[in-house]
Amino acid sequence: MEQYFSPVITVEDLLSLQGQEDVVIIDASNDKDAYQNYKKAHLKNALFLDIETQLAGAHEDASKGGRHPLPEVSAFVKTLGGLGIAPDTHVVIYDHAKGANAASRCWWMLKAVGHVKVQVLSGGFERAQREGYPLSEELVEPVVTNYGYRGDWLLPRVDLDVVDKASRDNSYTIIDVREEKRYNGEFEPIDFVAGHIPRAINIPFFVNFDEEGLFKERDVLHQFYKQVFEGHDAEKIIVHCGSGVTACNTILSVYHAGLPVPNLYVGSWSEWSRNDKPIAKEI
């Protein structure tokens, strides 16, 4: 991979970037009524990015790619150009989930087309609001550009067939970042079946945050994930969640920790659970 560029930015550091023309701020919130909330109040000069139509491809059938499959690279590159983002633009992304949700997915996708200067706002919108970052109702019109990338996704990922093999192969490590009760199979609020992929271990994504909802310091994350990954083949570590979104938060945190980027299983539980695959439970 290219040189390390911190995937996390604080509100204080973002405030210092105000007025710089090469900075684009993205609101990638995907909570209920996200766009309506964006129009009511967003960080000044922020542009809106929709996870359903811009950070995901067609997903009428979740058994093929999950609830949020990746879009075609060409479509995503077109989206970037429409937001006025060029390969050397400094992109800062936030959401209303402290950066744990679609902001991290957007970070993954930008890194996967080779973008270097991209960061997720630690603490998200709520933290920025609390620390006095200027808010606005104004809808900014970006200056359209041509991003120009023509390759494939650059970050490692795996499909259903690889995960099926991994579920029966002790040389693989499968990490499920959903909350413990979903992993255990106690309940499933979104997909049709509760439980987890056989052999998967549960490391909920919220271990990446401190008590204030901020990303933990790099050295803390390094010590944690170094211990988790010790003795495991980095190329055979697979991270998944419900639909390939929150898993990106853990991948971001592993990258932030200075460790090799693990594979993303984009289809995640939403795809696995719809394909008559074995299901494990801890209840």
Side-chain angles (χ1 to χ4, degrees):
M1 293 184 63
E2 85 295 323
Q3 75 272 21
Y4 174 82
F5 186 85
S6 176
V8 175
I9 187 171
T10 65
V11 175
E12 181 181 6
D13 286 341
L14 181 58
L15 281 165
S16 71
L17 297 178
Q18 284 190 93
Q20 295 190 18
E21 294 183 358
D22 65 337
V23 177
V24 171
I25 301 175
I26 300 295
D27 183 325
S29 303
N30 70 319
D31 46 311
K32 185 180 180 182
D33 302 321
Y35 185 62
Q36 296 304 317
N37 292 334
Y38 163 79
K39 290 195 294 185
K40 293 177 182 177
H42 52 264
L43 302 195
K44 185 177 180 181
N45 295 326
L47 302 170
F48 185 78
L49 194 56
D50 182 19
I51 188 173
E52 300 295 340
T53 61
Q54 295 172 302
L55 296 179
H59 45 286
E60 290 83 5
D61 184 357
S63 70
K64 300 176 181 178
R67 287 184 279 107
H68 291 108
L70 289 171
E72 295 294 328
V73 177
S74 58
F76 181 57
V77 168
K78 185 176 181 181
T79 294
L80 295 178
L83 293 169
I85 296 173
D88 59 349
T89 301
H90 186 168
V91 182
V92 177
I93 317 153
Y94 72 88
D95 58 29
H96 280 68
K98 300 179 175 61
N101 204 266
S104 290
R105 166 71 169 243
C106 186
W107 172 88
W108 189 97
M109 292 171 67
L110 274 157
K111 297 299 289 185
V113 297
H115 204 91
V116 175
K117 298 170 68 175
V118 52
Q119 298 176 300
V120 170
L121 182 63
S122 187
F125 178 86
E126 290 76 9
R127 184 76 180 193
Q129 184 179 34
R130 189 158 62 248
E131 294 193 13
Y133 195 94
L135 304 183
S136 176
E137 299 178 6
E138 181 181 358
L139 303 184
V140 180
E141 193 69 34
V143 178
V144 176
T145 185
N146 179 18
Y147 195 84
Y149 180 75
R150 298 182 183 277
D152 196 1
W153 301 111
L154 299 175
L155 294 187
R157 56 202 169 94
V158 293
D159 60 17
L160 179 64
D161 289 339
V162 173
V163 179
D164 186 29
K165 174 186 176 182
S167 71
R168 294 174 278 108
D169 187 338
N170 290 335
S171 69
Y172 282 86
T173 303
I174 306 172
I175 298 173
D176 185 332
V177 309
R178 296 175 301 159
E179 63 181 286
E180 184 179 14
K181 289 185 177 180
R182 289 182 71 186
Y183 168 85
N184 288 345
E186 296 177 46
F187 80 109
E188 177 48 57
I190 304 175
D191 295 307
F192 300 142
V193 183
H196 62 266
I197 298 171
R199 292 197 59 259
I201 61 174
N202 186 217
I203 305 177
F205 72 90
F206 52 75
V207 303
N208 302 318
F209 298 95
D210 64 18
E211 294 179 355
E212 295 184 39
L214 301 174
F215 280 95
K216 289 178 179 176
E217 295 295 330
R218 191 182 190 205
D219 60 341
V220 175
L221 290 170
H222 179 83
Q223 290 301 320
F224 177 79
Y225 282 108
K226 181 181 178 181
Q227 185 175 22
V228 170
F229 293 170
E230 189 171 7
H232 299 269
D233 184 345
E235 295 183 356
K236 290 187 174 182
I237 297 173
I238 299 168
V239 180
H240 80 90
C241 55
S243 68
V245 176
T246 307
C248 295
N249 178 264
T250 288
I251 293 175
L252 180 156
S253 298
V254 171
Y255 174 84
H256 190 30
L259 298 171
V261 172
N263 294 283
L264 170 65
Y265 172 32
V266 181
S268 287
W269 183 249
S270 58
E271 180 181 49
W272 181 272
S273 62
R274 287 171 169 82
N275 276 278
D276 297 320
K277 297 296 183 182
I279 291 174
K281 296 187 177 184
E282 300 297 324
I283 55 175

